[in-house]
Amino acid sequence: MSNPLRVLAIEDNPDDAELLALQLASGGYDVDYLRVDTAADLQAALAAGPWDIILTDYSMPQFDAIAALTIVQASGQDIPFIIVSGSIGEETAVAAMQAGSHDYLLKSNLTRLVPAVKRELREAQVRDERRQALRDLEQLAFYDLLTGLPNRSKFLLNLQDWIEHRQADPEAHFSVIFLDIDRYKRVKYGLGHQKGHDFLVEVGQRLVRWAGPNDLVAHIEEDSFAIALRHVANTAVLAEKVAQVHGLMEEPFQLGALQIYASASLGIVDSNLPYTVAADFLRAADTANYHARQQGGQTRFFSIQMQTEESDRLQLEADLQQALVNQELVLYYQPIISLQTCQVSGFEALVRWHHPTRGWVGPNIFIPLAEQTGLIIPLGQWVLEEACRQMHHWQTELAEFLPLSVAVNLSGIQLVQPNLATTIQAIWEQAQIQGLSLKLEVTESLLMENGELVIQQLQRLRSSGIQICIDDFGTGYSSLAYLHSLPINTLKIDRSFVDRMTLDGKNLSIVKTILTLAKTLGLSVVAEGIETANQFDELRSLNCTEGQGYLFAKPLPPQDLALWLHQAKSPHFLTTVSATHPHYDSPLSSAC
Ligand code: C2E
Ligand code: MG
Ligand code: MG
């Protein structure tokens, strides 16, 4: 059964009120009505609502319809309002309609009552739906669907009010904190999107619970939140607040059965900056945040000098988007030499960017940018496809030098993509290459931090014949005890150890330890960054498997590789390579 029609009758005569109810009942309504005839009773009734419709007499001893209408309007409720009067002149009726009454009827002709009520109820519903749609639109425009928090637009709108307020009152200080969750992508790709979302919601809730009633907390984008703190002028107070935010983030997060630990980088600005637009404050806080992240996390306060660097970075970011489209990226290949046979065992593919105005830009500059923007995914895919395409070509061009391996670097973001193994396997199988094998280089910290999912992916890859190398070995924090359980084939000793090895006893002993460890685990070792003949000789005598470095060759464009390989076979090549054996025929001949 439908709900009764809740009628508020403003009427001094109980019989007339009853008559209205009967008329409505005859039209099929189940009526529940209340009669009032004073301003005070009307106010009380409105407060006790809700009401579906108001039917009011025009003039009563203590009250009248226009005064009632004013009260209803002041209550902010949109209730259909119909005047039912014993007599009403046309002018009065028009004035009442203009004041906001929806209709007027004469008590002597109540046949119009039911159709008028029906129509007004329908129209009220339409108005209600429209208001709801507007609310939904506002929710969509100003609130984040995931966390329910205000979004960037809402944050900027509110902050703009604060800025204007401060222009009038210089004491109205505020500070803006840009919070970025460290390594969020690892949570998202490592634990799945749902857990990633739960985690973001929990971060938002913690911030809201912590923030004061006058502060603003907003979800700006995936792993970034913004907080505006009102009336914080004192740096000691601000420092205390910052420490509290770090503390909030460092409390463990319970995601279902999993407990994870997180941290955040904070960028901060205060209202002393000469900006008048909210977006400038937010951008400045974001810039400070970027600097905090660059330095491994925690907190940075904004300085104007950061701004110049920031616009440079933004430009480079935009250019990098185009670089992929405009095919400005190229792969260079650095030869890797077997230190025992002195033959070339393979190459490492190293990406370079030929920027239209800046010239060559190195991967150390643009790979971190690509990782921050997510562009590393298409970029990494391109590197793999391009390396495979090149290998296909070498299959015939370098036939006399086969077998060779090609090593491709993988970024941490790629590594936590759940479909990584499938994608790489597909690219590799499609390439159908004989005599060439694919190696993937990952850094040790990535393996250690990412746990089971990543290891399973690498296991899958390795069982399909792709080899896995730990790059820059020695610089991360491998648990040596853990190393044996990882699906790896090769350790690449970081250049920093090779660099001072012959001068520095400590580095030499690290290299020796790595070599002993690798031998026990049955892993091959590539020494990176061999620049001198002494390093080459030392590593050879320590039985290091392979080496790579400027002593042999810098990374080369693919069209130069065939020529280099032929030159490397010639006797003259030798003299530049070995200090202790200057009369070798060729370091790259089997005699070596
Ligand atoms: P990495 O994988 O450790 O690569 C070795 C780096 O050492 C290369 O720098 C190489 O040019 C340099 N190098 C090699 N031999 C010597 C030497 O004898 N002396 C000196 N001083 N340097 C030497 P590059 O090409 O600038 O690459 C830097 C890093 O960028 C790479 O370190 C790698 O982590 C990253 N990278 C390069 N290409 C890619 C890529 O396609 N994808 C990803 N994710 N990262 C890449
Ligand atoms: Mg590498
Ligand atoms: Mg390396």
Side-chain angles (χ1 to χ4, degrees), residues 367-406:
I367 293 285
L369 269 189
E371 286 177 335
Q372 279 150 25
T373 53
L375 214 65
I376 192 68
I377 302 291
L379 192 154
Q381 169 118 0
W382 176 84
V383 168
L384 274 159
E385 285 168 354
E386 174 60 18
C388 286
R389 197 193 58 74
Q390 185 59 54
M391 279 196 259
H392 190 80
H393 188 59
W394 284 335
Q395 197 167 278
T396 44
E397 199 199 10
L398 303 183
E400 62 183 292
F401 299 98
L402 299 181
L404 290 167
S405 64
V406 177

Side-chain angles (χ1 to χ4, degrees), residues 334 348 351-352 363-364 409 471-472 495 528-529 531 549-550 555:
Q334 187 176 33
E348 176 174 4
V351 66
R352 268 108 187 83
N364 285 335
N409 291 281
D471 204 354
D472 307 339
R495 196 175 76 216
E528 294 187 295
E531 291 186 351
Y550 293 174

Side-chain angles (χ1 to χ4, degrees), residues 262-293:
S263 61
S265 302
L266 306 186
I268 301 171
V269 284
D270 65 29
S271 43
N272 290 328
L273 283 174
Y275 298 147
T276 53
V277 176
D280 289 339
F281 279 97
L282 188 63
R283 193 174 316 109
D286 187 7
T287 302
N289 179 282
Y290 173 74
H291 283 257
R293 277 181 287 139

Side-chain angles (χ1 to χ4, degrees), residues 348 409 441 443 471-473 492-495 528 548:
E348 176 174 4
N409 291 281
E441 297 194 2
T443 60
D471 204 354
D472 307 339
F473 188 75
K492 295 190 79 173
I493 305 181
D494 189 64
R495 196 175 76 216
E528 294 187 295
Q548 169 183 1

Side-chain angles (χ1 to χ4, degrees), residues 240-466:
E240 172 60 26
K241 299 253 181 198
V242 165
Q244 287 171 0
V245 174
H246 281 302
L248 285 181
M249 291 298 298
E250 281 154 18
E251 286 282 311
F253 287 81
Q254 193 69 42
L255 302 176
L258 274 173
Q259 199 174 50
I260 66 157
Y261 287 85
S263 61
S265 302
L266 306 186
I268 301 171
V269 284
D270 65 29
S271 43
N272 290 328
L273 283 174
Y275 298 147
T276 53
V277 176
D280 289 339
F281 279 97
L282 188 63
R283 193 174 316 109
D286 187 7
T287 302
N289 179 282
Y290 173 74
H291 283 257
R293 277 181 287 139
Q294 287 298 93
Q295 287 163 3
Q298 296 296 312
T299 308
R300 283 295 304 271
F301 284 82
F302 178 76
S303 72
I304 291 289
Q305 186 217 338
M306 287 179 183
Q307 195 71 62
T308 343
E309 293 172 24
E310 168 66 1
S311 49
D312 237 38
R313 177 177 76 98
L314 284 177
Q315 187 57 52
L316 207 60
E317 242 178 57
D319 293 351
L320 188 57
Q321 301 265 0
Q322 282 308 308
L324 267 175
V325 181
N326 298 346
Q327 303 185 329
E328 291 160 15
L329 298 179
V330 284
L331 285 189
Y332 272 41
Y333 296 87
Q334 187 176 33
I336 298 172
I337 316 295
S338 157
L339 296 186
Q340 305 312 316
T341 67
C342 294
Q343 289 186 337
V344 177
S345 59
F347 309 107
E348 176 174 4
L350 294 158
V351 66
R352 268 108 187 83
W353 175 14
H354 194 252
H355 187 283
T357 55
R358 292 175 199 233
W360 289 104
V361 182
N364 285 335
I365 309 263
F366 70 84
I367 293 285
L369 269 189
E371 286 177 335
Q372 279 150 25
T373 53
L375 214 65
I376 192 68
I377 302 291
L379 192 154
Q381 169 118 0
W382 176 84
V383 168
L384 274 159
E385 285 168 354
E386 174 60 18
C388 286
R389 197 193 58 74
Q390 185 59 54
M391 279 196 259
H392 190 80
H393 188 59
W394 284 335
Q395 197 167 278
T396 44
E397 199 199 10
L398 303 183
E400 62 183 292
F401 299 98
L402 299 181
L404 290 167
S405 64
V406 177
V408 170
N409 291 281
L410 286 189
S411 139
I413 312 267
Q414 286 173 279
L415 212 56
V416 291
Q417 289 263 297
N419 59 353
L420 177 82
T422 321
T423 312
I424 297 182
Q425 256 170 306
I427 297 177
W428 177 236
E429 277 160 21
Q430 208 184 0
Q432 289 198 336
I433 295 153
Q434 310 277 314
L436 284 144
S437 54
L438 179 64
K439 295 186 172 187
L440 299 174
E441 297 194 2
V442 299
T443 60
E444 55 178 333
S445 44
L446 287 176
L447 281 181
M448 297 298 155
E449 280 170 29
N450 284 299
E452 266 315 295
L453 186 94
V454 166
I455 295 180
Q456 278 167 16
Q457 298 227 60
L458 294 180
Q459 250 148 6
R460 266 186 62 194
L461 286 164
R462 204 174 67 152
S463 53
S464 67
I466 294 169

Side-chain angles (χ1 to χ4, degrees), residues 216-235:
L216 301 173
V217 176
H219 189 198
I220 299 297
E221 57 197 15
E222 190 171 41
D223 50 359
S224 311
F225 292 80
I227 309 159
L229 300 171
R230 201 148 201 175
H231 304 309
V232 177
N234 180 318
T235 42

